[in-house]
């Protein structure tokens, strides 16, 4: 029996799963937290409590998600430094990224407050819903410095090829959040502010544990690594390159979020049934991301390490192994939705019109994993290679030449036009990133990060 080359070599596969599985397991706790939030608020007797938490949490999560470049850039730069055996660059990347996270967190505290009423109003809802959303955000926003630093810590640990520590960090954060949710809301009667306070304290608890996890790695550094650290951290060329890298990832993330927002808003224009059916199916899309994200995280760390080592064979293996396993997971999702999608929809909602509309659009979800797996994994490759400009350009092409043109041409299809556009977005990103990756690898350029100079500056002269 012929065995595909990518399936050979148990040790290499173990390295993939050592990075991927902890991240998949930690992702599982995220929807559980949402269920606990819904459960405790759902016992308060009025719908506007739940609506307020939903609107407020959506706004905060969107802001933090858009700032997710802090994790991505830190993972890529740290993995390259780890592969190159450069403890100076490992330390410098952590310090600069934490400084940026604290600065952005403080900026949010200072600048966001005046705009909160307008932002909450964009979420819609009754006066009661907007009022309780304001209560939630006014408390939760104080977690910004901790939440952003936690992104950096997670990215740094993953770049150090340590996936168990980020798993511990995420699971701990969510468990503390769930426990405090129950105590503050049901025990102390703090209502919406209790949910926000639970998330606030969970973020700062995670920050304390995160610093402890990071310190275990830092204690291994020799005293020479710390000499001249402050002078290195203040080097403007390195800081500007970090800002440039994060800027491009931010633009990419903003474009992606705009497409999801367009799906929700345009679905609302098509009627209540359409927006409800879309909400059900978007939960399935989130499920796909939870399954594929683990391998995306793994390929980030492995590609970055291979680039740091100038290991072209290791780079190729990292891409092929992770893509192979992710493709198997994607096929599994497609089979799951094909055989059990209708039953899953019926478990989520019992409204006949919504069930019927969701089932009409189910074929899009059956093919979506096979369309999306390529861009998920290739995003990880380009993050590990710290090639954010290519990611940004790929996203712009997919949005401007795929998502919106397909939606415009297919408007007569109703809800199906939105899912056709989303499929075009995923396929477009995969095709453009795949073409760029093939070109860069063929020419040997993928092995040389645009941020090699920063690593060189981290070394003592």
């Amino acid at each position: 029996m012929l065995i595909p080359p990518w399936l050979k070599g148990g040790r290499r596969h173990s390295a993939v799963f050592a990075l991927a599985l902890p991240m998949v397991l930690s992702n599982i706790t995220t929807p559980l937290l949402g269920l606990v939030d819904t459960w405790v608020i759902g016992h308060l007797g009025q719908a506007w409590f739940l609506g307020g938490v939903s609107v407020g949490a959506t706004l905060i999560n969107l802001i933090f998600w858009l700032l997710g470049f802090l994790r991505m850039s830190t993972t890529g730069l740290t993995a390259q430094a780890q592969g190159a055996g450069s403890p100076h660059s490992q330390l410098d990347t952590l310090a600069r990224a934490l400084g940026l996270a604290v600065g952005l967190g403080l900026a949010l505290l200072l600048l966001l407050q005046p705009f909160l009423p307008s932002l909450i109003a964009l979420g819609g809802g009754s006066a009661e819903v907007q009022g309780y959303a304001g209560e939630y955000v006014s408390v939760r926003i104080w977690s910004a410095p901790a939440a952003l630093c936690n992104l950096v810590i997670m990215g740094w640990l993953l770049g150090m090829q340590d996936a168990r520590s980020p798993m511990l960090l995420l699971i701990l954060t969510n468990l503390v959040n769930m426990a405090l949710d129950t105590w503050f809301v049901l025990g102390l009667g703090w209502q919406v502010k209790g949910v926000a306070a639970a998330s606030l304290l969970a973020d700062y608890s995670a920050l304390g544990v995160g610093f402890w996890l990071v310190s275990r790695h830092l204690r291994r550094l020799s005293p020479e690594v710390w000499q001249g650290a402050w002078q290195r951290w203040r080097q403007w060329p390195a800081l500007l390159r970090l800002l440039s890298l994060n800027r491009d990832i931010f633009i990419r993330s903003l474009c992606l979020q705009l497409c999801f927002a367009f799906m929700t808003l345009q679905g609302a224009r098509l009627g209540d049934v359409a927006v409800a059916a879309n909400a059900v199916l978007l939960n399935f899309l989130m499920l796909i991301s939870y399954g594929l994200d683990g391998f995306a995280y793994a390929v980030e760390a492995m590609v970055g390490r291979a680039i740091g080592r100038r290991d072209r064979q290791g780079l190729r293996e990292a891409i092929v192994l992770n893509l192979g396993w992710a493709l198997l997971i994607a096929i599994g999702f497609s089979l799951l939705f094909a055989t059990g999608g209708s039953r899953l929809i019926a478990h989520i909602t019992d409204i006949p019109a919504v069930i019927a509309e969701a089932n009409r659009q189910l074929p899009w979800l059956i093919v979506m994993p096979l369309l999306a797996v390529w861009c998920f994994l290739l995003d990880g490759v380009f993050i590990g290679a710290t090639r954010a400009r290519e990611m940004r350009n790929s996203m712009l092409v997919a949005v401007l030449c795929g998502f919106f043109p397909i939606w415009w041409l297919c408007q007569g299809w109703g809800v199906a036009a939105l899912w056709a556009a989303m499929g075009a977005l995923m396929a477009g990103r995969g095709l453009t990133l795949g073409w760029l990756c093939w070109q860069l690898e063929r020419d040997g350029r993928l092995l040389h990060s645009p941020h090699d100079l920063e690593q060189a500056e981290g070394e003592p002269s």
Side-chain angles (χ1 to χ4, degrees):
M1 180 179 177
L2 293 176
I3 300 176
W6 72 271
L7 278 175
K8 298 178 181 178
R11 182 176 298 176
R12 293 176 297 172
H13 292 281
S14 298
V16 171
F17 280 94
L19 290 168
L21 280 183
M23 301 311 298
V24 172
L25 292 174
S26 59
N27 279 345
I28 293 173
T29 64
T30 301
L32 291 178
L33 173 59
L35 289 174
V36 172
D37 280 349
T38 302
W39 177 69
V40 296
I41 291 296
H43 281 76
L44 295 182
Q46 297 292 341
W48 54 63
F49 290 119
L50 188 56
V53 169
S54 176
V55 171
T58 298
L59 175 59
I60 290 293
N61 291 337
L62 172 60
I63 293 170
F64 290 168
W65 189 86
L66 288 174
L67 298 176
F69 56 73
L70 290 165
R71 186 207 64 78
M72 298 180 198
S73 61
T74 304
T75 298
L77 292 171
T78 304
Q80 291 176 20
Q82 201 270 349
S86 172
H88 292 82
S89 293
Q90 294 166 19
L91 177 62
D92 296 350
T93 297
L94 176 64
R96 291 180 186 130
L98 283 175
L100 181 58
V102 170
L104 288 172
L106 294 177
L108 283 176
L109 292 179
L110 294 173
L111 302 178
L112 194 62
Q113 297 288 351
F115 300 100
L116 284 180
S118 299
L119 292 173
I120 291 169
L122 288 176
S126 65
E128 289 84 1
V129 166
Q130 292 189 29
Y132 284 113
E135 282 191 9
Y136 179 93
V137 174
S138 66
V139 174
R140 181 72 193 282
I141 192 62
W142 289 95
S143 71
L148 299 186
C149 285
N150 287 336
L151 289 176
V152 170
I153 289 170
M154 284 180 55
W156 192 81
L157 291 169
L158 188 59
M160 295 293 289
Q161 317 296 303
D162 177 5
R164 291 185 179 181
S165 292
M167 176 187 71
L168 175 63
L169 201 59
L170 281 171
I171 292 176
L172 174 69
T173 303
N174 289 330
L175 289 179
V176 169
N177 205 335
M178 293 177 201
L180 293 179
D181 261 351
T182 307
W183 180 28
F184 290 167
V185 178
L186 300 183
L188 301 180
W190 290 1
Q191 298 181 340
V192 170
K193 287 186 176 180
V195 177
S199 297
L200 172 71
L201 293 177
D203 283 333
Y204 280 98
S205 299
L207 181 62
V209 174
F211 278 133
W212 174 73
L213 292 169
V214 165
S215 71
R216 297 191 307 165
H217 290 275
L218 296 182
R219 282 197 294 267
R220 301 171 190 164
L221 300 180
S222 64
E224 291 78 12
V225 175
W226 296 91
Q227 293 176 2
W230 177 244
Q231 286 74 20
R232 295 198 309 270
W233 299 344
R234 292 186 300 165
Q235 288 178 353
W236 277 108
L239 289 170
L240 290 175
R241 279 192 295 275
L242 178 62
L243 291 173
S244 172
L245 175 62
N246 286 326
R247 176 204 62 205
D248 290 335
I249 298 175
F250 173 78
I251 294 171
R252 168 257 182 202
S253 300
L254 181 60
C255 290
L256 182 59
Q257 195 59 39
L258 286 174
C259 291
F260 279 105
F262 183 85
M263 281 195 72
T264 301
L265 295 175
Q266 191 62 30
R269 291 185 177 184
L270 296 173
D272 292 345
V273 171
V275 74
N278 272 354
V280 171
L281 297 178
L282 283 171
N283 282 323
F284 292 173
L285 197 55
M286 291 302 296
L287 181 63
I288 295 170
S289 74
Y290 291 142
L292 298 180
D293 266 350
F295 294 98
Y297 289 146
V299 81
E300 289 175 24
M302 295 176 72
V303 163
R305 187 181 190 186
I307 289 174
R309 291 180 168 183
R310 297 292 186 269
D311 180 2
R312 192 171 188 179
Q313 182 62 29
L315 174 65
R316 291 174 172 175
E317 286 181 358
I319 296 172
V320 172
L321 288 173
N322 282 283
L323 187 56
W325 281 111
L327 187 57
L328 288 179
I329 298 296
I331 293 171
F333 275 123
S334 291
L335 292 174
L336 171 66
F337 296 146
T339 58
S342 296
R343 287 191 291 273
L344 288 173
I345 291 169
H347 281 299
I348 294 175
T349 178
D350 57 2
I351 303 172
V354 175
I355 291 175
E357 182 62 45
N359 277 312
R360 277 194 290 271
Q361 309 309 326
L362 185 60
W364 292 108
L365 266 297
I366 294 173
V367 301
M368 196 63 70
L370 302 178
L371 295 176
V373 61
W374 313 99
C375 63
F376 270 81
L377 261 292
L378 289 167
D379 262 357
V381 171
F382 280 86
I383 289 169
T386 56
R387 289 187 173 271
R389 184 177 62 179
E390 287 86 350
M391 291 174 61
R392 177 202 66 193
N393 293 344
S394 168
M395 180 64 75
L396 289 172
V397 169
V399 170
L400 298 177
C401 301
F403 182 87
F404 284 109
I406 292 296
W407 168 79
W408 187 80
L409 290 171
C410 302
Q411 286 182 75
W413 297 2
V415 178
L418 295 171
W419 286 101
M422 182 56 67
L425 175 71
M426 298 297 180
R429 291 169 60 202
L431 287 171
T432 52
L433 287 173
W435 180 74
L436 287 168
C437 184
W438 175 76
Q439 272 205 326
L440 291 168
E441 207 290 319
R442 180 196 62 185
D443 299 339
R445 287 182 290 153
L446 190 60
L447 202 62
H448 298 276
S449 164
H451 295 265
D452 284 343
L453 181 59
E454 180 177 343
Q455 288 188 11
E457 288 178 354
E459 300 298 339
S461 57

